[in-house]
């Protein structure tokens, strides 16, 4: 005795042939089709997220029995990738889900300041189209300015800054792929106070290694209070 499911019997009826005896069993509809991860960071290795399929009762369907999974041939490059789930057995149809591989992050290796400017240096990484630098006087990067730099470079001088002001700086990588631009996460924010010509001279003449300044408003007059410092000596306070 050859027993058929409802779907198999319907296929026989449509074909106009007798295929066997019919038995009826309940097939729950598919409720959830998802990936365990939808975002990865490029590391040169193939990225193949796991697929989870559940019916309306929450029961998981079985891979290779109820469905098969097909990944793109290229699963490691930066960009958007697809996963095709093809249903079989008691189920039919297909679904396509997507995940993204983002470029690797970089970090600021050094911040230097000169007259009304700063120079940002960073570690070069592979598989990127360039680097994006943001800088602002606000720690939250309100009204931040953005500079894009090509992948061949590992430093950038930014001019036209205000002397004596503190600037916050961060950097991320980007990759152009499939008519889209994909960004890494931002690196840890760093900050620096911009030097003026007078303060540079004070540092050079004193033999100290750096200077840190804060604006002050005493008796209605504007002052800048500065600390000259060395790595192995106590801080000395001077007024400019």
């Amino acid at each position: 005795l050859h027993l058929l499911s409802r779907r198999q019997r319907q296929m026989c009826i449509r074909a106009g042939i007798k295929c066997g005896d019919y038995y009826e069993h309940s097939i729950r509809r598919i409720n959830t089709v998802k990936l365990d991860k939808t975002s990865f960071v490029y590391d040169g290795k193939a990225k193949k997220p796991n697929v989870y399929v559940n019916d309306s009762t929450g029961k998981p369907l079985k891979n290779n029995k109820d469905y098969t999974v097909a990944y793109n041939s290229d699963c490691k490059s930066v960009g958007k990738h697809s996963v095709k789930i093809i249903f079989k057995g008691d189920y039919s149809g297909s679904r396509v889900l997507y995940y993204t591989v983002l470029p690797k992050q970089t970090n600021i290796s050094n911040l230097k300041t000169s007259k009304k400017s700063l120079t940002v240096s960073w570690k070069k990484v592979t598989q990127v189209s360039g680097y994006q630098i943001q800088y602002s006087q606000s720690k939250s990067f309100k009204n931040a300015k953005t500079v894009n730099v090509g992948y061949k470079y590992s430093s950038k001088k930014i001019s036209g800054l205000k002397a004596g002001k503190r600037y916050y700086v961060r950097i991320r990588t980007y990759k152009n792929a499939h008519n889209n631009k994909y960004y890494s996460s931002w690196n840890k924010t760093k900050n620096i106070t911009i030097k003026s010509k007078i303060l540079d001279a004070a540092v050079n003449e004193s033999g100290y290694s750096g200077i840190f300044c804060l604006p002050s408003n005493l008796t209605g007059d504007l002052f800048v209070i500065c600390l000259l410092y060395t790595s192995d000596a106590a801080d000395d306070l001077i007024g400019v």
Side-chain angles (χ1 to χ4, degrees):
L1 181 64
H2 180 55
L3 300 180
L4 303 178
S5 68
R6 176 184 294 176
R7 180 169 175 269
Q8 290 172 327
R9 181 174 173 80
Q10 289 174 344
M11 292 174 64
C12 288
I13 293 174
R14 285 197 296 267
I17 59 177
K18 180 175 177 59
C19 300
D21 295 313
Y22 168 67
Y23 77 98
E24 184 172 347
H25 69 122
S26 178
I27 301 174
R28 302 289 183 179
R29 66 179 177 82
I30 295 173
N31 185 55
T32 304
V33 183
K34 66 179 182 180
L35 304 176
D36 66 338
K37 287 186 68 174
T38 57
S39 181
F40 297 86
V41 175
Y42 175 83
D43 62 2
K45 299 178 181 179
K47 304 300 179 185
K48 294 184 177 182
N50 294 317
V51 176
Y52 293 101
V53 183
N54 295 328
D55 66 18
S56 58
T57 67
K59 181 181 177 180
L61 274 63
K62 295 182 179 180
N63 189 11
N64 293 324
K65 177 184 177 183
D66 300 312
Y67 64 91
T68 58
V69 179
Y71 295 92
N72 285 347
S73 57
D74 174 18
C75 297
K76 65 181 181 180
S77 64
V78 173
K80 188 176 182 180
H81 301 273
S82 64
V83 182
K84 188 173 185 179
I85 301 95
I86 305 168
F87 298 102
K88 57 188 289 189
D90 290 333
Y91 302 92
S92 61
S94 64
R95 286 281 300 275
V96 178
L97 302 178
Y98 298 92
Y99 64 96
T100 304
V101 177
L102 300 175
K104 187 177 180 180
Q105 183 189 42
T106 188
N107 289 298
I108 294 175
S109 57
N110 192 29
L111 271 183
K112 294 196 302 184
T113 176
S114 56
K115 182 183 177 183
K116 295 185 178 182
S117 68
L118 64 84
T119 300
V120 189
S121 300
W122 59 87
K123 183 180 179 181
K124 292 177 71 174
V125 297
T126 59
Q127 291 294 313
V128 299
S129 301
Y131 305 89
Q132 187 175 84
I133 303 166
Q134 276 194 346
Y135 61 97
S136 173
Q137 293 183 44
S138 167
K139 193 173 183 179
S140 63
F141 286 88
K142 182 179 180 181
N143 299 321
K145 293 186 178 180
T146 302
V147 177
N148 290 326
V149 183
Y151 71 93
K152 294 182 179 180
Y153 299 93
S154 60
S155 66
K156 173 66 177 178
K157 184 176 181 179
I158 300 172
S159 304
L161 306 180
K162 295 182 179 180
K165 295 293 184 179
R166 180 176 295 276
Y167 282 83
Y168 296 88
V169 186
R170 62 185 181 181
I171 189 172
R172 64 181 178 179
T173 65
Y174 68 87
K175 174 75 172 180
N176 298 319
H178 312 297
N179 298 318
N180 285 299
K181 184 172 285 188
Y182 298 90
Y183 295 95
S184 73
S185 57
W186 291 106
N187 80 304
K188 184 178 180 180
T189 300
K190 293 196 174 185
N191 64 82
I192 194 170
T193 300
I194 305 304
K195 294 179 182 179
S196 68
K197 185 175 182 180
I198 294 176
L199 298 180
D200 286 342
V203 173
N204 293 334
E205 291 176 4
S206 68
Y208 287 84
S209 60
I211 189 165
F212 173 74
C213 298
L214 288 173
S216 178
N217 191 0
L218 303 174
T219 65
D221 297 321
L222 181 62
F223 291 87
V224 177
I225 299 176
C226 298
L227 288 173
L228 286 171
Y229 61 87
T230 64
S231 58
D232 56 359
D235 294 339
D236 294 319
L237 183 64
I238 66 168
V240 179

